[in-house]
Amino acid sequence: MEDAYRTINEVLVNLINEIWELEEKAIITEEFRDITNNDMHVIEAIGLGEDSNMSMVAKKLNITVGSLTTAMNSLVKKKYVKRERSETDRRVVYVRLTEKGRKAYLHHEDYHRQMTKVILERLDEKELPVLMKTLDALTEFFTGYVPAK
């Protein structure tokens, strides 16, 4: 059991690091060289819908609205995102992707699609439930994790 623990731990740590590094190399291409991997995840959280506001996006990213404001200012300046005040409630600010932002979003989505496709192509129908159970356990850990103080 100790060998299994060590192997799984090593694979998970390496996989997380490799995904982060490879994703940055894959999605921050010449066309999108003016943004960071974090910017791309803000773009992803805004999405292609029409009704994202700052609070909704911050909640998706599990960050404060203040932290998001800094990233959003940069993305607006670089013309990936535009802000629009609600006509019914001027306190509400909607954020929407520009055409440039939509291109970045679709580019990022394509990377994720390719990654998922490779995994699914290697599994048979009996293996898929095991992967799903494993991913559910990881999701449960990450969403419920509270750092020790």
Side-chain angles (χ1 to χ4, degrees):
M1 190 66 151
E2 184 63 30
D3 286 344
Y5 171 85
R6 228 184 340 260
T7 300
I8 291 170
N9 182 65
E10 186 176 313
V11 167
L12 285 175
V13 169
N14 289 335
L15 186 60
I16 289 167
N17 290 333
E18 286 178 29
I19 287 172
W20 187 255
E21 289 175 25
L22 181 59
E23 183 177 50
E24 187 166 7
K25 289 176 187 171
I27 62 178
I28 308 303
T29 61
E30 185 64 25
E31 183 177 6
F32 305 112
R33 70 184 177 278
D34 59 339
I35 58 174
T36 66
N37 210 11
N38 286 337
D39 289 337
M40 192 65 91
H41 287 107
V42 172
I43 289 169
E44 179 183 38
I46 294 169
L48 298 177
E50 296 297 317
D51 293 329
S52 292
N53 63 41
M54 293 287 284
S55 297
M56 293 166 58
V57 175
K59 186 175 181 180
K60 283 183 190 177
L61 294 169
N62 200 25
I63 61 174
T64 66
V65 174
S67 294
L68 178 61
T69 298
T70 303
M72 202 62 71
N73 288 342
S74 173
L75 288 169
V76 167
K77 184 178 177 182
K78 295 173 187 174
K79 300 190 181 337
Y80 284 90
V81 176
K82 61 183 174 180
R83 290 185 176 107
E84 296 175 359
R85 289 214 177 267
S86 168
E87 295 196 13
T88 56
D89 184 347
R90 303 296 291 164
R91 297 171 296 176
V92 177
V93 177
Y94 292 108
V95 289
R96 293 186 174 90
L97 298 179
T98 63
E99 188 57 37
K100 186 177 180 182
R102 292 174 67 81
K103 279 182 81 173
Y105 176 93
L106 294 172
H107 175 67
H108 188 214
E109 183 181 58
D110 184 59
Y111 170 77
H112 285 192
R113 187 179 303 111
Q114 289 178 46
M115 179 177 59
T116 304
K117 183 180 175 191
V118 166
I119 293 167
L120 290 174
E121 286 174 348
R122 294 187 179 202
L123 298 176
D124 62 39
E125 288 183 34
K126 292 177 184 173
E127 294 169 317
L128 191 57
V130 175
L131 176 62
M132 295 302 295
K133 184 176 180 179
T134 303
L135 293 174
D136 284 344
L138 283 169
T139 300
E140 187 177 313
F141 170 78
F142 288 125
T143 58
Y145 181 76
V146 179
K149 291 183 181 189

